[in-house]
Amino acid sequence: MLAADRLIALALMAFSVFVMWYAQRLPVGWEAETGPGAGAFPFWLGLGMLAASGAILARSFVTRPHSGETFIPDADAIPQILGVVGLLLGAIALIPLLGAYIALMLFLLAYLRLMGGHGWLLTGILTLTTPVFLFFFFEVTLKILLPKGVTEPLFYPLYAMFF
Amino acid sequence: MDVLALLADGFASSISPLNLLIVLIGVTVGIFIGAMPGLGSVNGVAIVLPLTFIVPPGSAIILLAAIYYGAMYGGAISSILLGIPGASTAVATTFDGRPMAQKGEAGLALIVAAVASFIGGTISVLLFTIFAVPLADMALAFGPAEEFALVLLAFTTFVGLGGDDILKTVVMICLGLVLSTVGLDIISGEPRLVFGDLPGFYSGISFLVLAIGVYGVGEVLYTIETSRNAPMVTPARLTFGELRAGLSKMRGMWRTMSLGSVLGFFVGILPAAGATPAALMSYGVAKSISKRPDSFGRGNPEGVAAPETANNAASTGSLLPMLTLGIPGSPTTALLLGGMVMWGLTPGPMLFVEQKEFVWGLISSLYTANLAAVLVNIALIPVFVWALRMPLSVLCAMVLVLCIVGGYAPDQRLHDVWMIAGFGVAGYLLRKADYPLAPLVLALVLGPLMEKSFRQTMIAEHGDLTVFIERPIAAIFVAISVLLFALPLIRALRRGRNGSSRPAPAE
């Protein structure tokens, strides 16, 4: 936990420095017409964040808070968490290519079958009914089109039917 | 009475068939969300928010408020039947709710929780109706300097009263405010913090993206880690006999329940406090005034009634500063505020002048939502008991699908979905390292108001900062802010003198 605490504090400090450097692309001081420059707010907030996260880092060497604890107490959970994050990122990456429906079906299939260990019946029902529900809710009811990717032509008959 | 006439007008709109249906759907969804371990009102509202485009803004906020209300009722169900709180607001309910269930009194505990929630909700809605207009009238005198001082006060409340690590709270407030500056500058219109000139950042970071990320994806990751060993659901029977017995038993609890309601309402108004500390405080008060304090923690129904009145009362109380001042009292009300901004409504005193119909429709819907919640709760307890047996992986998979599609829907940009995944992972890691997430979301919502009011004041006063202590209302807010900021330092100094140097524990 102590190492994680330090790493997170360091990451926040790095982000603060980046924000301060980036904010200076715009005026940070007082402008005659418009008062505080456009970069002033992010610059000073970045400085505040740098000071506070720096203090957290410094404190970790003095009081050593949480030093007896582990960051993720249950080690068996780590592959599960990484797996879920991987599946999630994979699904988002596939959306522009295969469209939201196929990507989400693959996501549900992998999640329920591999991570959840559910039977084919439950996996099949949820994998097939969820995209149907999403289509009717978002596209037909709310008129919000979800990305289709290469599956776009398959939807032409459905568009003709519902729009 | 002007207020009564306005409330009557509100009822005319809130009991329209559409709004009644919305209240019923909202409280049912809310109770379900509140009952599922790992999900609470804040996650529920964050996940459902993008779906509210289906109804007009007035009805959308009623839907979200009903979900909020329902979740407060639902939290007790898993506290009693599983022994793990559905949401942090129902932590105190486990103290006596679980022992009652283990003694075979699960049905009675559920009835006490439902009726106490109803009483807490009703008393606080009455208080809300009384206080809303005077507070909004007072706020009408606010200029940019007062607005800035008020936002400052909202943040310092987190530092002074939040109970979290002060330094980590400050980091999260700054981070939220930095994220709120992404996009085009409000005054000069120039792009700033558009990391690598990515077009997706030009319109800024929507609070919805951050909220779905940290409260949707982040919560799923956290739940996967913490709830890997599924607990046993205690079976609950509910008969009319038990209902009657429960109601007669509650007659002796009026003192606990009225105290809990009033306490909950006022604690709920404070920005950093909210329903969790209100429930814990109410439990403590009930125990200290009880003739049999040692029976608490062993299945005393008063130990269920006290936190349940207070958490419902606090959820209503936290709506008061959100509607009248534009300052949310809790993370969930911050999401409601963000939703209102998204639908083109500006929360604050002008809302009471310009959008009377909306405001009073919402207030009156709290009365109907409260009644609907108690009826739906008692009627559907067997269904919720059954739903609690749903495997966690199915729930998590569904929540993630909703996060992806719900995050994409409002602006139809894949950029937002990537951001949601990023914020989800970051939120999970930050939460693990005891960084509080509520100030982060609140800062993103309040950031634009804070910057605008500060810059307007500075332009008008030619950079003279003394304006914040020259104007009386602003000066009072600034003085309280300074006091709140100093409070943890004073506490730390005192602790130091007593020989301990540990920082305040998180949550």
Side-chain angles (χ1 to χ4, degrees), chain A residues 116-137:
Chain A
H118 295 291
W120 281 113
L121 184 70
L122 181 79
T123 307
I125 290 172
L126 287 174
T127 305
L128 293 173
T129 52
T130 308
V132 176
F133 166 77
L134 292 177
F135 177 80
F136 279 99
F137 188 79

Side-chain angles (χ1 to χ4, degrees), chain B residues 254-455:
Chain B
W254 61 270
R255 198 167 59 142
T256 301
M257 291 195 291
S258 42
L259 259 175
S261 308
V262 176
L263 180 81
F265 178 77
F266 287 105
V267 172
I269 293 174
L270 298 171
T276 309
L280 288 164
M281 281 165 75
S282 173
Y283 184 87
V285 169
K287 191 176 170 180
S288 63
I289 61 165
S290 169
K291 285 180 192 134
R292 302 182 296 121
D294 48 327
S295 67
F296 277 75
R298 294 181 188 165
N300 184 340
E302 282 201 60
V304 174
E308 282 304 308
T309 41
N311 68 20
N312 270 59
S315 63
T316 310
S318 66
L319 289 172
L320 186 68
M322 189 271 273
L323 278 182
T324 53
L325 309 172
I327 303 293
S330 68
T332 316
T333 43
L335 298 185
L336 295 177
L337 184 130
M340 286 172 69
V341 174
M342 214 163 67
W343 304 311
L345 297 161
T346 315
M350 287 311 284
L351 199 69
F352 280 75
V353 180
E354 290 168 355
Q355 302 281 347
K356 271 190 188 143
E357 205 180 311
F358 166 82
V359 169
W360 290 97
L362 173 63
I363 295 174
S364 64
S365 80
L366 295 177
Y367 288 87
T368 51
N370 204 20
L371 187 64
V374 71
L375 297 177
V376 169
N377 193 344
I378 290 177
L380 296 186
I381 278 174
V383 179
F384 296 128
V385 171
W386 173 79
L388 278 178
R389 295 202 173 96
M390 183 201 282
L392 203 67
S393 50
V394 172
L395 180 76
C396 289
M398 291 300 146
V399 169
L400 287 177
V401 166
L402 264 182
C403 289
I404 295 175
V405 186
Y408 176 83
D411 292 317
Q412 281 143 62
R413 291 185 312 189
L414 208 60
H415 171 86
D416 287 345
V417 186
W418 282 113
M419 297 282 291
I420 284 172
F423 282 135
V425 175
Y428 164 72
L429 293 174
L430 287 169
R431 183 175 168 182
K432 295 273 325 159
D434 286 340
Y435 283 82
L437 297 175
L440 174 76
V441 176
L442 235 61
L444 184 75
V445 173
L446 294 180
L449 173 66
M450 189 184 202
E451 186 182 5
K452 190 183 81 180
S453 54
F454 181 73
R455 284 168 78 176

Side-chain angles (χ1 to χ4, degrees), chain B residues 177-266:
Chain B
L177 290 172
V178 163
L179 294 179
S180 80
T181 66
V182 171
L184 301 177
D185 174 36
I186 39 171
I187 291 184
S188 66
E190 288 172 280
R192 59 176 179 178
L193 292 192
V194 283
F195 309 104
D197 276 333
L198 282 175
F201 285 116
Y202 272 69
S203 48
I205 293 174
S206 150
F207 91 98
L208 198 67
V209 167
L210 180 72
I212 297 179
V214 297
Y215 291 123
V217 177
E219 195 68 37
V220 166
L221 298 179
Y222 195 76
T223 308
I224 289 170
E225 186 202 316
T226 49
S227 320
R228 280 163 40 77
N229 302 316
M232 287 295 291
V233 182
T234 309
R237 283 181 308 109
L238 213 58
T239 59
F240 275 107
E242 268 179 307
L243 190 64
R244 225 182 14 242
L247 289 177
S248 68
K249 213 167 206 175
M250 294 191 76
R251 269 190 223 134
M253 299 183 200
W254 61 270
R255 198 167 59 142
T256 301
M257 291 195 291
S258 42
L259 259 175
S261 308
V262 176
L263 180 81
F265 178 77
F266 287 105

